[in-house]
Amino acid sequence: MALIKSVRGFTPQIGNDCFLAENATIVGDTVIGDGCSIWFNAVLRGDVNSIRIGNHVNIQDGSVLHTLYQKSTIEIGDYVSIGHNVTIHGAHVRDYALIGMGSTLLDDAEVGEGAIVAAGALVLKGTKIGPYEIWGGVPAKFIKKADPAQTAEINRKIAHNYAMYAGWYQQE
């Protein structure tokens, strides 16, 4: 079972039908919606400020979510996919966004609905990524506007696939 730890009087709240890998760590002021999957070695550290995760979000292996004491919070919308080894520090990510493997989002960054952050990107503090935009690089820069219908379909497919993968583990 995942490590679920209270701190400073806050106990994580986990929604219905969630998959939590055995070595995932969820701490403090963290609220996770329904149908989410938190994968192996992921750490959600709501010890210094709040983390709010929507419904049907997948936070993949090795990702770390943390905030800045009394300054930044994390808000993740519905059907968001957070790739392997992502660091999110005090950023907001809207519905159906895709955060690519190994990328980093710093405090007060915002990722719009259906947007894609490319693998390995560094999204600097305060960066605003618009809906259905693709950003990449170090530091991350606007690459192009994506076709909303095509991007939504790809991002939805990934989010729904992770729900299926989680089901495999819940059957065991």
Side-chain angles (χ1 to χ4, degrees):
M1 178 172 181
L3 173 61
I4 299 173
K5 185 163 184 56
S6 299
V7 66
R8 296 179 47 233
F10 293 101
T11 299
Q13 299 173 34
I14 313 297
N16 297 314
D17 300 318
C18 289
F19 166 71
L20 307 177
E22 291 84 359
N23 59 355
T25 301
I26 303 163
V27 177
D29 190 7
T30 301
V31 177
I32 298 172
D34 296 334
C36 293
S37 57
I38 313 300
W39 291 87
F40 300 97
N41 291 320
V43 177
L44 284 64
R45 237 183 84 199
D47 54 353
V48 301
N49 218 330
S50 65
I51 298 174
R52 299 293 180 263
I53 308 294
N55 298 312
H56 307 286
V57 171
N58 62 88
I59 300 174
Q60 298 170 23
D61 313 71
S63 291
V64 176
L65 281 65
H66 196 240
T67 60
L68 191 58
Y69 183 60
Q70 297 182 336
K71 292 193 178 186
S72 67
T73 62
I74 291 177
E75 294 177 15
I76 308 292
D78 296 334
Y79 294 97
V80 171
S81 293
I82 297 173
H84 309 290
N85 294 312
V86 166
T87 300
I88 298 178
H89 202 277
H92 295 183
V93 180
R94 304 294 173 225
D95 297 349
Y96 284 106
L98 172 65
I99 309 303
M101 293 185 283
S103 58
T104 299
L105 280 63
L106 296 179
D107 294 295
D108 302 316
E110 292 183 18
V111 178
E113 179 177 347
I116 297 173
V117 174
L122 172 61
V123 180
L124 296 176
K125 176 183 170 130
T127 300
K128 309 293 186 221
I129 297 175
Y132 301 100
E133 292 182 353
I134 300 173
W135 284 56
V138 179
K141 296 191 182 326
F142 175 79
I143 296 172
K144 67 179 185 175
K145 190 82 170 167
D147 173 14
Q150 184 178 21
T151 302
E153 179 63 28
I154 291 167
N155 291 0
R156 280 186 179 98
K157 183 176 181 180
I158 293 167
H160 290 286
N161 282 350
Y162 265 87
M164 178 179 68
Y165 307 153
W168 297 344
Y169 288 86
Q170 291 168 321
Q171 292 172 5
E172 296 296 317

